[in-house]
């Protein structure tokens, strides 16, 4: 049985990042209050090997690292988290994401300006979400992405082992209903499943080959029947880019869809596409509700990553058509 038999899950992408700077504890609190089923943690390591919640292996797009440590960039001009101790990372302030030109990546979101919060460790964030679960009488899931596993290995660190250690420490390592582990690198997922023998559900993220992800895998192959057969041998689901499912609108207004969701669900794989943003709609989509209707009601995904968990939750409450109920 696929999870399409029940309501899809809403995954708060970097927290309620449409409203509050990504991966701050404030963004996670807001996502929790909005009723997200799962809250995402992207994880990288500090120089002393501590998992911290940060999307990039770099620090400059979301923190004041360049002002605080101006002489610590590498030759490529970037400030790598792995070059900073946890104490140094703790001293940084997080701001809304900026692009290479220093301007806000999403101009209508939270203002730039002095950051009010720091970078949480994975352990701190788990404590924080657990605390909210207790005070709000909920059971919210963690959806942890291991970023740059091959980069970390070259730097002398095993990010998979470090993340599992935190989950053991916090008592989440056996909570199969409450923790997903996700990665763009198939070799890391196989390592988690077959060598580290985690019982937690694993999600194979699918990028576009042109993005230069930290993996040797061929993402075009992963979307084929043979590729999905291979994924099903080590993972429990896939996390594709939404444009790998929604291909656009034809001239007559009809929607062009791939068969990726059906192919994956036929193999028992859950499908959790990314990233649904009300302020960055795909070509041909007029409003966020239309986009959610395509994915929840027409395609039948098992969940999705969104920067706007309140809007996805409201949509499911008001408009979700449970196709297996009749
Ligand atoms: O992990 C799902 C989605 O978050 C992947 O994209 O770049 O936001 O981590 P990214
Ligand atoms: Ca992610």
């Amino acid at each position: 049985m696929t999870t399409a038999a029940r309501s899809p899950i809403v995954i708060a992408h970097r927290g309620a990042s449409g409203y509050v700077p990504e991966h701050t504890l404030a963004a996670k609190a807001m996502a929790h209050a909005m009723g997200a089923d799962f809250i995402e943690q992207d994880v990288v390591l500090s120089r002393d090997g501590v998992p911290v919640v940060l999307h990039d292996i770099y620090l400059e797009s979301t923190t004041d690292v360049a002002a605080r440590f101006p002489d610590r960039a590498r030759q490529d001009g970037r400030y790598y988290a792995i070059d900073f101790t946890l104490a140094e990372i703790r001293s940084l302030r997080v701001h809304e994401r900026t692009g290479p030109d220093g301007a806000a990546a999403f101009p209508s979101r939270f203002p730039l300006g002095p950051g009010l919060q720091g970078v949480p460790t994975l352990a701190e964030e788990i404590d924080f979400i657990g605390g909210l679960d207790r005070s709000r009488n909920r059971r919210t899931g963690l959806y942890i992405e291991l970023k740059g596993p091959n980069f970390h290995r070259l730097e002398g660190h095993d990010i998979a082992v470090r993340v599992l250690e935190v989950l053991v420490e916090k008592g989440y390592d056996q909570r199969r209903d409450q923790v997903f582990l996700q990665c763009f690198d198939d070799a890391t997922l196989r390592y988690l499943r077959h060598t580290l023998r985690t019982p937690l559900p694993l999600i194979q993220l699918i990028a576009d080959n042109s993005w230069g992800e930290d993996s040797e895998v061929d993402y075009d192959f992963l979307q084929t029947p043979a590729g999905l057969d291979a994924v099903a041998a080590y993972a429990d689901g896939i996390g594709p880019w939404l444009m790998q499912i929604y291909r656009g609108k034809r001239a007559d207004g009809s929607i062009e869809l791939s068969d990726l969701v059906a192919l994956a669900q036929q193999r028992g794989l859950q499908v959790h596409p990314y990233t649904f943003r009300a302020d960055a709609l795909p070509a041909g989509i007029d409003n966020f509700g239309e986009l959610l209707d395509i994915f929840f009601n027409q395609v039948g995904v098992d969940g999705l990553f969104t920067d706007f968990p309140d809007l996805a939750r409201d949509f499911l409450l008001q408009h979700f058509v449970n196709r297996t109920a009749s």
Side-chain angles (χ1 to χ4, degrees):
M1 183 185 77
T2 74
T3 53
R6 59 181 169 82
S7 182
I9 59 171
V10 173
I11 307 154
H13 182 249
R14 313 182 197 174
S17 57
Y19 304 103
V20 181
E22 68 182 53
H23 285 321
T24 58
L25 291 184
K28 307 305 169 78
M30 196 165 192
H32 201 283
M34 288 173 166
D37 301 294
F38 285 78
I39 299 176
E40 188 194 30
Q41 297 79 34
D42 293 307
V43 172
V44 305
L45 298 181
S46 67
R47 191 168 87 190
D48 30 359
V50 179
V52 296
V53 182
L54 197 70
H55 177 268
D56 305 347
I57 59 172
Y58 318 109
L59 289 160
E60 68 274 8
S61 297
T62 55
T63 79
D64 58 352
V65 66
R68 300 288 302 277
F69 298 96
D71 57 350
R72 295 279 295 278
R74 291 193 185 184
Q75 284 197 327
D76 62 4
R78 311 211 68 168
Y79 297 80
Y80 289 72
I82 198 72
D83 293 338
F84 292 79
T85 65
L86 177 61
E88 290 171 331
I89 291 174
R90 280 193 199 283
S91 75
L92 302 176
R93 298 293 90 189
V94 177
H95 56 65
E96 186 67 33
R97 173 168 289 274
T98 56
D101 59 356
F106 295 94
S108 64
R109 295 191 179 181
F110 198 89
L112 293 179
L116 302 173
Q117 301 172 80
V119 176
T121 67
L122 178 60
E124 289 166 347
E125 178 153 333
I126 292 173
D127 283 345
F128 186 71
I129 292 172
L132 287 169
D133 275 356
R134 177 170 166 167
S135 60
R136 300 190 66 239
N137 191 26
R138 289 183 59 90
R139 187 176 172 88
T140 306
L142 312 177
Y143 209 122
I144 302 170
E145 180 179 351
L146 284 64
K147 286 292 188 188
N150 296 305
F151 165 80
H152 282 99
R153 187 171 306 109
L154 290 172
E155 296 288 331
H157 294 269
D158 187 331
I159 191 171
V161 166
R162 294 285 87 81
V163 166
L164 289 183
E165 285 174 350
V166 173
L167 292 175
V168 169
E169 174 194 334
K170 296 299 174 186
Y172 277 69
D173 57 307
Q174 304 291 319
R175 297 194 193 183
R176 280 173 290 211
D177 66 326
Q178 207 178 2
V179 185
F180 283 100
L181 297 177
Q182 48 164 339
C183 194
F184 280 106
D185 183 42
D186 65 322
T188 298
L189 293 171
R190 293 175 205 272
Y191 174 58
L192 281 160
R193 175 64 78 234
H194 301 308
T195 304
L196 301 178
R197 305 185 77 81
T198 178
L200 298 173
L202 304 178
I203 300 295
Q204 172 70 62
L205 296 174
I206 303 178
D208 188 274
N209 281 335
S210 67
W211 295 350
E213 285 294 335
D214 177 45
S215 179
E216 296 292 312
V217 74
D218 179 352
Y219 295 109
D220 289 339
F221 170 69
L222 290 190
Q223 296 170 65
T224 67
L228 291 164
D229 282 342
V231 171
Y234 60 83
D236 302 89
I238 58 170
W241 178 33
L242 65 87
M243 296 304 291
Q244 292 164 337
I245 297 168
Y246 166 77
R247 296 295 198 184
K249 266 190 188 160
R250 302 183 185 90
D252 66 0
S254 61
I255 296 163
E256 185 177 350
L257 299 170
S258 76
D259 56 0
L260 178 58
V261 175
L263 288 173
Q265 291 179 340
Q266 286 162 11
R267 288 158 175 79
L269 292 166
Q270 300 176 57
V271 182
H272 301 158
Y274 62 88
T275 300
F276 290 74
R277 295 176 165 125
D279 54 358
L281 297 171
I285 300 295
D286 293 328
N287 58 70
F288 199 45
E290 179 187 7
L291 183 65
L292 296 176
D293 181 69
I294 291 169
F295 279 80
F296 281 141
N297 290 333
Q298 299 183 45
V299 176
V301 297
D302 301 286
L304 51 75
F305 292 86
T306 179
D307 295 1
F308 298 89
D310 56 335
L311 302 183
R313 174 60 49 220
D314 287 351
F315 182 92
L316 288 172
L317 280 173
Q318 295 180 38
H319 304 295
F320 177 57
V321 179
N322 189 340
R323 300 183 307 164
T324 62
S326 56

